[in-house]
């Protein structure tokens, strides 16, 4: 009996010292586990005289039951403490101010680019992107602008080597596409272009959107109709277009396209400098030499092309007066372009 009490007392003492449920489980196993001391007592029964065995066995069982109850009680205590410690640790202060995650906005150039792609893909145009580093042939020669052609002076070119340059116009992509694909062609080509030019409305890097349509029987009327549709969607439902004769080596005839001023409706204001019209793009009927250069028969096919500055469209549409605002990335400016 005494031995049993000593076992119980030491088990209770150790259990009280165990601070975690893991440690308590180990103590419990020392007494009640397969190799624990109570199990050892049961195994020792064989040495007890047969007549004393039942009484002895009952005492061991009593001891085991008491130990189990004691361990269960302690276990509940320890677990309770562990739980409240965890809750304290993981507590969330719901009154704390949150971290602000500000939503960004699309850059006005990106917005206009997306809008243009939207308008023209609705008319069946496919997007094709050419490289920013071009060679002389694609940027000039194939576009009917051979070396020493005076039209090369229309664009101040950044040459990288004698042969390679930063493309001055997305028109270079026209050639790349027509070399690969034969008519019918309806291509839209957005991208960066580079010119040594720098003032309030010109930047050495800007974006253009090029369009090219080649098929049988394409005329200036097709260009005109498509541009009217573009102007109405991009600027205002009552926008009109007007074509003025112009010159580009790769189109013949060439035109400059004006859109009626969306600010004054054509009456004349500061945006359109009193004329009622704003120049938005260059265009024309693809010069037959350009088609020939790409292996397309100009007697069978004809086409039109147009090219516009995306920054310019964005400035007109949003009333931005300096092109530099578009590259400075001042968030106070950019935040104003929200849906
Ligand atoms: N590439 C011309 C420019 O950059 C624009 C243009 C494109 C004109 C296509 C006619 C046809 O000024």
């Amino acid at each position: 009996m005494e031995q049993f009490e000593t076992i119980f007392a030491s088990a209770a003492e150790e259990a009280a010292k165990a601070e975690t449920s893991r440690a308590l489980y180990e103590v419990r196993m020392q007494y009640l586990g397969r190799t624990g001391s109570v199990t050892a007592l049961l195994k020792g029964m064989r040495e007890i005289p047969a007549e004393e065995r039942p009484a002895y066995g009952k005492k061991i069982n009593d001891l085991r039951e008491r130990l189990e109850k004691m361990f269960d009680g302690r276990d509940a205590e320890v677990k309770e403490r562990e739980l409240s410690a965890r809750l304290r640790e993981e507590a969330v202060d719901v009154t704390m101010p949150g971290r602000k995650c500000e939503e960004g906005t699309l850059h006005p150039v990106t917005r206009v680019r997306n809008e243009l792609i939207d308008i023209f893909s609705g008319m069946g145009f496919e997007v094709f992107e050419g490289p920013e580093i071009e060679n002389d042939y694609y940027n000039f020669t194939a576009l009917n602008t051979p070396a020493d052609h005076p039209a090369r002076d229309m664009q101040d070119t950044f040459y990288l080597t004698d042969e390679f340059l930063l493309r001055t116009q997305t028109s270079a992509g026209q050639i790349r596409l027509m070399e690969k694909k034969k008519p019918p062609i309806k291509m839209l080509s957005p991208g960066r272009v580079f010119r040594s030019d720098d003032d309030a409305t010109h930047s050495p890097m800007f974006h253009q959107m090029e369009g090219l349509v080649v098929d049988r029987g394409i005329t200036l009327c097709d260009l005109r109709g498509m541009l009217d549709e573009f102007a109405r969607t991009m600027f205002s439902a009552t926008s009109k277009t007007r074509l003025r004769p112009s010159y580009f080596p790769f189109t013949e005839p060439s035109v400059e396209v004006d859109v009626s001023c969306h600010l004054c409706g054509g009456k004349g204001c500061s945006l359109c400098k009193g004329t009622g019209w704003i120049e938005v793009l260059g265009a024309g009927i693809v010069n037959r030499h350009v088609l020939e250069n790409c292996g397309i028969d100009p007697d069978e096919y004809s086409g039109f092309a147009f090219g516009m500055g995306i920054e310019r469209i964005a400035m007109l549409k949003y009333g931005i007066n300096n092109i530099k605002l578009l590259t400075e990335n001042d968030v106070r400016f950019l935040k104003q372009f929200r849906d």
Side-chain angles (χ1 to χ4, degrees):
M1 274 309 286
E2 231 171 81
Q3 191 197 357
F4 287 9
E5 281 317 307
T6 324
I7 290 177
F8 186 84
S10 76
E13 197 184 317
E14 281 181 64
K17 274 195 245 157
E19 297 286 349
T20 65
S21 44
R22 174 86 219 148
L24 184 65
Y25 176 77
E26 266 152 32
V27 176
R28 185 184 199 124
M29 286 303 112
Q30 274 167 37
Y31 291 89
L32 300 172
R34 245 183 330 115
T35 55
S37 34
V38 175
T39 321
L41 287 175
L42 280 168
K43 281 185 189 145
M45 289 255 284
R46 264 174 272 138
E47 276 132 58
I48 306 289
E51 63 277 16
E52 284 174 34
R53 241 180 247 160
Y56 187 79
K58 188 176 175 306
K59 280 193 192 123
I60 298 178
N61 273 337
D62 286 349
L63 172 64
R64 198 176 54 202
E65 266 164 39
R66 282 173 66 209
L67 282 170
E68 260 161 14
K69 236 193 236 150
M70 184 276 289
F71 279 121
D72 286 348
R74 177 67 185 148
D75 198 46
E77 259 173 53
V78 170
K79 287 222 167 96
E80 169 85 37
R81 248 193 288 148
E82 279 176 344
L83 180 67
S84 46
R86 223 178 88 196
L87 290 178
R88 230 178 300 122
E89 223 170 80
E90 293 175 2
V92 174
D93 179 359
V94 290
T95 65
M96 229 157 79
R99 258 180 241 136
K100 230 181 170 177
C101 177
E102 276 204 53
E103 207 182 312
T105 56
L106 286 181
H107 192 280
V109 168
T110 308
R111 296 175 76 99
V112 170
R113 178 186 186 273
N114 291 352
E115 207 175 320
L116 287 168
I117 292 178
D118 235 41
I119 295 173
F120 287 103
S121 55
M123 299 185 211
F125 282 72
E126 277 176 276
V127 173
F128 170 84
E129 288 185 50
E132 290 172 5
I133 293 177
E134 264 300 0
N135 61 31
D136 195 271
Y137 177 77
Y138 287 102
N139 196 80
F140 289 125
T141 311
L143 286 164
N144 202 31
T145 322
D148 66 33
H149 190 288
R152 288 208 179 191
D153 295 340
M154 286 166 81
Q155 303 168 356
D156 279 314
T157 310
F158 290 116
Y159 278 91
L160 302 172
T161 65
D162 282 349
E163 193 193 347
F164 290 101
L165 46 85
L166 296 178
R167 68 174 172 198
T168 60
Q169 48 189 356
T170 42
S171 304
Q174 285 185 28
I175 308 297
R176 289 194 178 266
L177 186 86
M178 284 191 285
E179 278 180 351
K180 275 197 245 149
K181 191 173 149 76
K182 297 302 156 206
I185 290 172
K186 251 183 162 180
M187 169 206 83
L188 195 61
S189 189
R192 285 190 192 99
V193 297
F194 306 83
R195 292 181 198 180
S196 179
D197 213 351
D198 204 2
D199 61 33
T201 52
H202 296 87
S203 152
M205 184 284 291
F206 63 103
H207 298 77
Q208 281 189 332
M209 182 66 81
E210 187 89 8
L212 173 72
V213 172
V214 184
D215 203 350
R216 290 191 177 87
I218 296 290
T219 70
L220 267 189
C221 291
D222 299 306
L223 171 70
R224 180 90 198 257
M226 193 212 62
L227 289 175
D228 278 338
E229 178 64 24
F230 149 74
R232 281 193 293 264
T233 323
M234 187 51 109
F235 296 105
S236 93
T238 54
S239 286
K240 285 193 275 294
T241 60
R242 139 180 123 169
L243 308 186
R244 281 180 291 111
S246 184
Y247 173 78
F248 298 102
F250 36 88
T251 46
E252 181 58 38
S254 300
V255 293
E256 226 133 76
V257 180
D258 297 340
V259 172
S260 55
C261 181
H262 55 285
L263 202 65
C264 62
K267 285 192 213 69
C269 65
S270 62
L271 182 68
C272 57
K273 301 192 180 79
T275 65
W277 295 96
I278 297 170
E279 184 196 322
V280 290
L281 57 92
I285 291 294
V286 181
N287 191 305
R288 47 191 297 128
H289 296 309
V290 174
L291 295 177
E292 274 164 7
N293 287 341
C294 303
I296 294 174
D297 180 359
D299 292 324
E300 188 179 354
Y301 292 105
S302 59
F304 67 73
F306 63 89
M308 63 184 101
I310 300 183
E311 278 81 352
R312 181 164 169 76
I313 305 284
M315 289 169 78
L316 291 171
K317 193 173 159 85
Y318 300 119
I320 300 164
N321 58 12
N322 194 317
I323 196 168
K324 298 292 176 298
L325 287 164
L326 294 169
T327 41
E328 278 167 355
N329 282 338
D330 184 331
V331 283
R332 289 168 303 179
F333 169 74
L334 295 176
K335 268 209 296 220
Q336 298 174 36
F337 301 90
R338 275 187 203 285
D339 288 314

